[in-house]
Amino acid sequence: DAGVTQSPTHLIKTRGQHVTLRCSPISGHKSVSWYQQVLGQGPQFIFQYYEKEERGRGNFPDRFSARQFPNYSSELNVNALLLGDSALYLCASSLVATGDTQYFGPGTRLTVL
Amino acid sequence: QQQVKQSPQSLIVQKGGISIINCAYENTAFDYFPWYQQFPGKGPALLIAIRPDVSEKKEGRFTISFNKSAKQFSLHIMDSQPGDSATYFCAASYLQGAQKLVFGQGTRLTINP
């Protein structure tokens, strides 16, 4: 079975622009979480979605939003990009909403100029 | 607020040696403690995880030691191999509620042949 897939692999944007990142979970997985990993640091939790509902939100500004589709894939949107948004954005999926192993995708590398 | 502190930042070990990475957490409500391994250009992959009702868990060459009273846990890699060279992250989470992993800062491990 394919693992978690993310697109695009790399992305370059300028300050003030908007970006949409996409994630497809492992087949059968209903929970998707998003993390931001700044170079040299551990990932930081942004959102969790389960069955299309938001289950958790990290300490990120309202410029960050996400949604989950009926096929359990997910999008992360970031508006009004800042230089500090440059990071690796990771998507993780799990079978259920709680107490389950999270499997990470390879990430989308976002560079904001 | 850094809820999970990881040390050392980098570690060099000779092939066949023991690699030891330490983590300390602050929130006593955490009840799930995984370790992730990340290679360059890849997302984190679950290595081994422990719950606070046990003091040690071993899987192959990898062992987690857990000290609930000290709020510390560590990863031991026995017979370290060059293929173990990667960045390792400890994390903490809750078995209930949102699947929010709180990561340490990471340890870059290099195994010299």
Side-chain angles (χ1 to χ4, degrees):
Chain A
D1 277 343
V4 177
T5 59
Q6 293 185 243
S7 63
T9 305
H10 296 88
L11 203 52
I12 298 175
K13 293 285 188 178
T14 57
R15 281 177 298 175
Q17 283 190 313
H18 162 271
V19 68
T20 298
L21 310 181
R22 295 177 175 84
C23 171
S24 292
I26 293 172
S27 178
H29 285 196
K30 298 182 178 180
S31 174
V32 170
S33 297
W34 287 95
Y35 291 80
Q36 180 195 64
Q37 186 176 21
V38 173
L39 195 63
Q41 297 183 19
Q44 286 207 327
F45 174 79
I46 309 175
F47 288 109
Q48 183 199 6
Y49 275 78
Y50 178 73
E51 294 278 16
K52 297 179 289 180
E53 298 290 327
E54 182 182 302
R55 289 267 304 176
R57 171 186 283 256
N59 188 23
F60 280 81
D62 291 343
R63 301 185 295 107
F64 289 76
S65 64
R67 56 179 176 167
Q68 187 177 33
F69 299 98
N71 66 352
Y72 305 111
S73 67
S74 178
E75 283 182 355
L76 175 70
N77 295 282
V78 187
N79 292 323
L81 285 167
L82 303 174
L83 295 179
D85 295 331
S86 295
L88 180 68
Y89 288 85
L90 295 162
C91 173
S93 78
S94 59
L95 270 171
V96 295
T98 62
D100 192 24
T101 299
Q102 293 187 54
Y103 297 88
F104 283 84
T108 293
R109 172 70 64 187
L110 172 65
T111 301
V112 182
L113 301 176
Chain B
Q1 181 187 12
Q2 181 62 46
Q3 295 191 56
V4 178
K5 294 183 179 180
Q6 183 172 346
S7 62
Q9 276 190 310
S10 62
L11 181 63
I12 300 174
V13 175
Q14 292 300 118
K15 179 183 175 182
I18 302 173
S19 304
I20 302 174
I21 304 171
N22 301 299
C23 282
Y25 63 96
E26 299 170 3
N27 188 342
T28 55
F30 287 138
D31 53 8
Y32 176 66
F33 301 89
W35 284 89
Y36 281 83
Q37 178 189 57
Q38 186 175 29
F39 292 103
K42 303 287 187 181
L46 179 67
L47 203 56
I48 186 172
I50 198 168
R51 299 181 183 183
D53 52 346
V54 297
S55 60
E56 186 174 281
K57 183 175 181 180
K58 184 176 181 179
E59 290 184 1
R61 297 185 294 110
F62 302 93
T63 299
I64 298 179
S65 297
F66 186 83
N67 186 329
K68 188 174 181 178
S69 61
K71 295 188 287 185
Q72 295 176 347
F73 58 110
S74 60
L75 176 69
H76 292 64
I77 306 174
M78 311 300 288
D79 187 27
S80 299
Q81 299 297 312
D84 296 331
S85 297
T87 300
Y88 292 80
F89 292 96
C90 62
S93 183
Y94 312 95
L95 288 173
Q96 300 298 324
Q99 282 193 301
K100 172 185 175 181
L101 287 167
V102 179
F103 284 87
Q105 303 96 313
T107 296
R108 179 172 289 187
L109 175 64
T110 302
I111 307 300
N112 285 334

